[in-house]
Amino acid sequence: MLKKTSLILVSILTLLNLSCADDEEENISTNDLGISQEIKDLIYFTGDEMSDTVLINVQSGPDTELATVDIDLAIQNFNTVNFLTVNVHQAQTRDPGLISNRDITFDEAIAFDLETVEILSQVITYFKKQNRTVYVFGQSFGAFVTQDLIARNGIDIADGYLIMIGRLDMNDVIWQGLSEGRYGFFENGINPILENEIPANVIERNLAKLAAGFGKNRYTQLLNSFEDLSKITYVYGKTDEVVGSLTATEDQFLVSKNAKVLAGNGGHDQTLSQFFFIGFQEAFGIE
């Protein structure tokens, strides 16, 4: 949940049949338009604007800048010639001034996190209404955003999810410290330890609070009402020093809901590197 280099999240979109009732919106054909300016203001994108295959990244961090480099790298590393690749703004990347001028309260951080989830939901829903297929990739901070998206909007808002190096139930001592602007880490991926000093930089303190806004949530409870989470491929590292390893309870919860769980022996970045290509293949069938 600390600032990490964002990677790419891939999304491939499925056909969405909407009701023809007079009071509902009709689907928008991709033959009629590419991407509206309203949505362009919420994303960075590259590739075929008219493609029916969309790759969506929920970037890590949290950070104050929208990542672009990793989206372009995905085009090079995967067979995505005919894909539209997208990275979605978060509240603080869309308006860095929210967290750059003063210490925000924890309640404000929670509200900004909710705005981040709503932006992501808006972008996914837009492409789904165009009869495209959507896959979502979230890693580190983006993993928490993606989990919250599912908890609030349902598993079927997108067609598949790759969630990497996140947590379902963050340890209380870590998220509570983050809510005060303090960072921490996990010794051997298991033992949570808070750092003694609070960062002098106001942005760093506020970014910690954004992380805590998701970290306080118990996703084994929030996702428990879903009978089937088979659309999710979840990757974690057993010695992850940043967010910690999934506990046996978290792992078993995912397995009980039919999610595909991949575990590596490495830390945060090592797991991401080791399982990046494997995860995309397992989750989205992308070579």
Side-chain angles (χ1 to χ4, degrees):
M1 289 175 65
L2 301 179
K3 290 179 103 179
K4 295 288 173 183
T5 304
S6 321
L7 286 166
I8 307 191
L9 129 229
V10 181
S11 342
I12 303 178
L13 321 179
T14 56
L15 186 68
L16 178 64
N17 294 318
L18 299 181
S19 169
C20 294
D22 292 339
D23 60 347
E24 293 186 21
E25 290 183 317
E26 295 182 357
N27 288 347
I28 304 171
S29 171
T30 55
N31 294 324
D32 295 332
L33 86 163
I35 307 174
S36 71
Q37 187 58 51
E38 180 183 11
I39 296 300
K40 286 182 178 179
D41 290 342
L42 299 178
I43 64 175
Y44 166 81
F45 71 94
T46 187
D48 182 4
E49 187 173 335
M50 306 296 288
S51 175
D52 60 0
T53 297
V54 182
L55 315 177
I56 297 186
N57 178 52
V58 190
Q59 74 179 50
S60 67
D63 209 337
T64 56
E65 295 182 0
L66 184 67
T68 59
V69 174
D70 292 320
I71 293 293
D72 297 329
L73 288 177
I75 295 294
Q76 300 172 20
N77 291 330
F78 293 101
N79 183 19
T80 59
V81 175
N82 298 318
F83 290 179
L84 170 67
T85 58
V86 173
N87 193 31
V88 183
H89 263 297
Q90 298 172 358
Q92 77 284 350
T93 64
R94 193 179 184 196
D95 182 7
L98 291 174
I99 65 169
S100 62
N101 299 319
R102 62 177 178 83
D103 281 292
I104 61 174
T105 67
F106 188 38
D107 285 341
E108 286 177 311
I110 293 171
F112 296 153
D113 284 343
L114 177 58
E115 180 181 343
T116 290
V117 175
E118 290 176 342
I119 292 171
L120 177 60
S121 174
Q122 181 181 349
V123 171
I124 293 172
T125 300
Y126 173 83
F127 287 120
K128 291 284 286 184
K129 285 184 176 181
Q130 289 189 324
N131 290 328
R132 310 196 198 199
T133 302
V134 179
Y135 286 128
V136 177
F137 168 58
Q139 57 103 3
S140 198
F141 182 73
F144 290 84
V145 178
T146 302
Q147 292 169 178
D148 215 68
L149 169 82
I150 296 170
R152 293 180 181 278
N153 295 275
I155 191 69
D156 292 327
I157 188 174
D159 301 293
Y161 308 86
L162 174 58
I163 300 176
M164 297 186 69
I165 51 177
R167 285 289 303 278
L168 294 175
D169 297 338
M170 178 57 69
N171 304 59
D172 287 344
V173 65
I174 294 296
W175 78 256
Q176 288 172 0
L178 289 167
S179 73
E180 301 169 354
R182 300 175 63 191
Y183 287 87
F185 64 95
F186 287 83
E187 184 179 44
N188 300 318
I190 298 174
N191 301 318
I193 300 175
L194 277 182
E195 296 178 354
N196 293 325
E197 295 184 2
I198 297 178
N201 185 289
V202 64
I203 294 178
E204 292 293 328
R205 296 194 297 272
N206 287 335
L207 291 175
K209 294 174 185 177
L210 292 178
F214 288 118
K216 71 177 180 59
N217 296 329
R218 307 293 89 182
Y219 288 103
T220 55
Q221 297 176 18
L222 294 174
L223 298 175
N224 193 45
S225 62
F226 299 102
E227 295 184 2
D228 184 26
L229 296 178
S230 59
K231 287 185 176 183
I232 295 175
T233 297
Y234 208 107
V235 179
Y236 73 95
K238 294 180 180 180
T239 57
D240 191 321
E241 73 284 3
V242 178
V243 299
S245 171
L246 291 190
T247 63
T249 299
E250 291 169 281
D251 191 317
Q252 292 167 9
F253 170 81
L254 290 169
V255 172
S256 73
K257 297 292 184 178
N258 302 316
K260 182 177 294 184
V261 181
L262 304 176
N265 293 320
H268 199 70
D269 290 344
Q270 182 182 358
T271 299
L272 188 62
S273 176
Q274 180 182 359
F275 284 91
F276 185 65
F277 292 99
I278 297 172
F280 270 70
Q281 292 167 1
E282 293 287 341
F284 311 135
I286 296 174
E287 301 293 339

